[in-house]
């Protein structure tokens, strides 16, 4: 019995930064599910060979990866109460990313959501639980969250919200949900071009990054800001208010980096080329009135967001003015995606 899922990465527009308890967010976040950047994972159950509590054979892009296997083991061991079959079988997991490992794209959202979906499908078959699709996805989102917070958002298409907020009905810290469907058609196929400024490993792990918020002097204000901006962003999406959209998205990215710069220890994760790109995007927007803005993850690479109708102009701008700041002129052209799919 082999289960296969392909699941996408996502980019947060309202950032999740700071957590408590078992992977619970300190503030709500809102993300865009991507189309091109994804992970395909397969899960096979085999007879156990040892007495180990969790026994896995893990192949990443066809090769054994013990470091990643150890992380998976810890995650799987933490969910054995709800998935007791995990301890009774050997798990053969194979995983592949659509993007190169050195592209500087965080793969935890796509890989953990793909794994969570494989686990939920297997559980559905073994326990013959006839849950409806909405329940299935909610449970997969929760399980993905336990593996990596941002992965909770990857099980849904389009815009996704994770974390309790009064601005979104049924929002929850436990799992993500699809953002309100009333966004303007301008945002259909929202474009995200990822400019690779640096292709190495992250210089601060997510876990260490979130922990920096525990004693951060600006933490309380940060969480208030995230709530307020999520509401503003929903308004911008509903009314196609591109000016507000760009302002909120850029402020979020810069605040995330400001928090890292002012934490103890301090981290500066932007590179000089990150700033060079940001300056040019702002100049291009001011001089052309084309709605285009940037966001950043916890790293130096720049995500450029723009509507489908401005695709030609913005791509020309990227090609002619921004490639010089990228490692080997590397750009990944991505856009809003339809969410995960089960492969037969
Ligand atoms: O899911 P984690 O623990 O890797 O945290 C992700 C944090 C950010 O990418 C910086 C923001 C976000 O909301 O995705």
């Amino acid at each position: 019995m082999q289960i296969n899922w392909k699941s996408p990465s996502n980019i947060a527009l309202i950032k999740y930064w700071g957590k408590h308890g078992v992977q619970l967010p300190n503030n709500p976040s809102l993300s865009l599910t991507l189309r091109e950047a994804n992970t395909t994972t397969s899960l096979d159950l085999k007879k156990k060979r040892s007495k180990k509590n969790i026994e896995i054979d893990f192949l990443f892009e066809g090769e054994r990866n013990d470091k990643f296997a150890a992380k998976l083991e810890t995650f799987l061991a933490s969910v054995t109460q709800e998935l007791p079959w995990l301890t009774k079988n050997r798990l053969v997991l194979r995983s592949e990313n659509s993007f190169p490992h050195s592209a500087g794209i965080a793969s935890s959202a796509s890989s953990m959501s793909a794994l969570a979906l494989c686990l939920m499908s297997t559980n559905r078959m073994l326990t013959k639980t006839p849950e409806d699709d909405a329940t299935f996805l909610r449970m997969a989102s929760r399980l993905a969250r336990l593996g990596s917070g941002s992965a909770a958002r990857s099980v849904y298409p389009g815009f996704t919200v994770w974390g309790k907020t009064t601005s979104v009905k049924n929002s929850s810290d436990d799992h993500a949900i699809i953002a309100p469907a009333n966004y303007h058609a301008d945002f259909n196929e929202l474009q995200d071009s990822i400019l690779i400024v640096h292709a190495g490993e992250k210089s601060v792990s997510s876990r260490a990054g979130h922990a920096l918020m525990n004693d951060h002097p600006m933490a309380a204000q940060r969480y208030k800001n995230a709530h307020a901006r999520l509401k503003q962003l929903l308004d911008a999406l509903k009314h196609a208010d591109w000016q507000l959209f760009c302002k909120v998205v850029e402020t979020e990215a810069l605040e995330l980096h400001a928090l890292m710069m002012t934490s103890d220890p301090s981290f500066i994760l932007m590179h000089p080329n990150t700033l060079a790109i940001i300056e040019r995007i702002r100049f291009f927007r001011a001089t052309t009135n084309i709605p285009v803005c940037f966001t950043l993850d916890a790293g130096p690479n720049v995500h450029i967001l723009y509507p489908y109708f401005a695709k030609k102009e913005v791509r020309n701008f990227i090609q002619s003015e921004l490639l010089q700041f990228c490692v080997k002129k590397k750009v990944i052209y991505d856009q809003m995606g339809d969410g995960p799919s089960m492969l037969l």
Side-chain angles (χ1 to χ4, degrees), residues 169-196:
K169 215 173 134 202
N170 296 328
S171 56
S172 166
D173 286 352
D174 183 64
H175 57 269
I177 58 169
I178 298 192
N182 60 354
Y183 64 85
H184 193 279
D186 260 19
F187 290 94
N188 284 338
E189 297 186 58
L190 181 64
Q191 302 290 301
D192 178 15
S193 300
I194 312 165
L195 272 59
I196 310 302

Side-chain angles (χ1 to χ4, degrees), residues 187 190 233 236-237 241-249 293:
F187 290 94
L190 181 64
L233 191 65
L237 292 175
D241 185 341
W242 283 98
Q243 213 182 340
L244 181 62
F245 177 86
C246 293
K247 187 171 88 175
V248 169
V249 168
C293 62

Side-chain angles (χ1 to χ4, degrees), residues 83-295:
L83 306 174
W85 49 267
L86 286 175
T87 59
K88 299 191 175 69
N89 298 277
R90 176 163 57 94
L91 277 68
V92 181
L93 283 160
R94 293 186 183 83
S95 201
E96 270 164 30
N97 289 343
S98 64
F99 46 89
H101 186 57
S102 59
I105 297 185
S107 60
S108 62
S110 53
S111 58
M112 279 302 173
S113 55
L115 174 63
L117 287 156
C118 286
L119 293 173
M120 287 311 304
S121 286
T122 307
N123 192 56
R124 200 183 214 175
M125 283 172 70
L126 291 175
T127 60
K128 303 191 171 61
T129 329
E131 72 263 338
D132 55 83
D133 286 350
T135 310
F136 175 85
L137 288 177
R138 196 165 62 235
M139 288 163 73
S141 171
R142 179 182 165 274
L143 205 56
R145 179 202 106 216
L146 297 173
S148 169
S150 55
R153 300 184 305 238
S154 273
V155 307
Y156 296 110
F159 296 111
T160 303
V161 172
W162 170 44
K164 184 83 198 134
T165 159
T166 50
S167 309
V168 181
K169 215 173 134 202
N170 296 328
S171 56
S172 166
D173 286 352
D174 183 64
H175 57 269
I177 58 169
I178 298 192
N182 60 354
Y183 64 85
H184 193 279
D186 260 19
F187 290 94
N188 284 338
E189 297 186 58
L190 181 64
Q191 302 290 301
D192 178 15
S193 300
I194 312 165
L195 272 59
I196 310 302
V197 170
H198 176 75
E201 293 258 318
K202 286 207 239 175
S203 52
V204 56
S205 71
S206 259
R207 181 202 291 248
H210 289 289
L212 295 174
M213 287 306 288
N214 294 342
D215 301 310
H216 202 293
M218 295 173 202
Q221 186 61 46
R222 158 64 196 152
Y223 303 138
K224 267 195 204 163
N225 293 349
H227 278 270
R229 288 202 200 107
L230 194 143
K231 190 169 184 300
Q232 288 178 325
L233 191 65
L234 290 171
D235 280 344
L237 292 175
K238 187 171 167 187
H239 302 296
D241 185 341
W242 283 98
Q243 213 182 340
L244 181 62
F245 177 86
C246 293
K247 187 171 88 175
V248 169
V249 168
E250 292 190 353
T251 311
E252 268 298 295
L254 294 175
E255 187 162 284
L256 171 72
H257 281 255
L259 289 164
M260 287 187 280
M261 286 184 200
T262 51
S263 57
D264 181 10
S266 148
F267 291 94
I268 300 180
L269 300 186
M270 288 192 224
H271 282 202
N273 283 351
T274 312
L275 288 172
I277 292 169
I278 288 176
E279 278 185 344
R280 277 168 176 77
I281 292 172
R282 287 188 162 176
F283 184 76
F284 178 78
R285 182 169 72 226
T287 50
T288 61
N289 262 328
I290 290 174
V292 49
C293 62
F294 66 86
T295 186

Side-chain angles (χ1 to χ4, degrees), residues 19 29 46 67 82 84 119 121 150 178 213 226 263 267 295 300 309 311 317 323 327 331:
K19 60 180 174 180
S29 56
K46 298 268 175 178
K67 196 174 144 204
E82 48 211 288
L119 293 173
S121 286
S150 55
I178 298 192
M213 287 306 288
S263 57
F267 291 94
T295 186
F309 64 72
K311 188 169 164 180
F317 160 64
L323 284 192
V327 179
V331 184

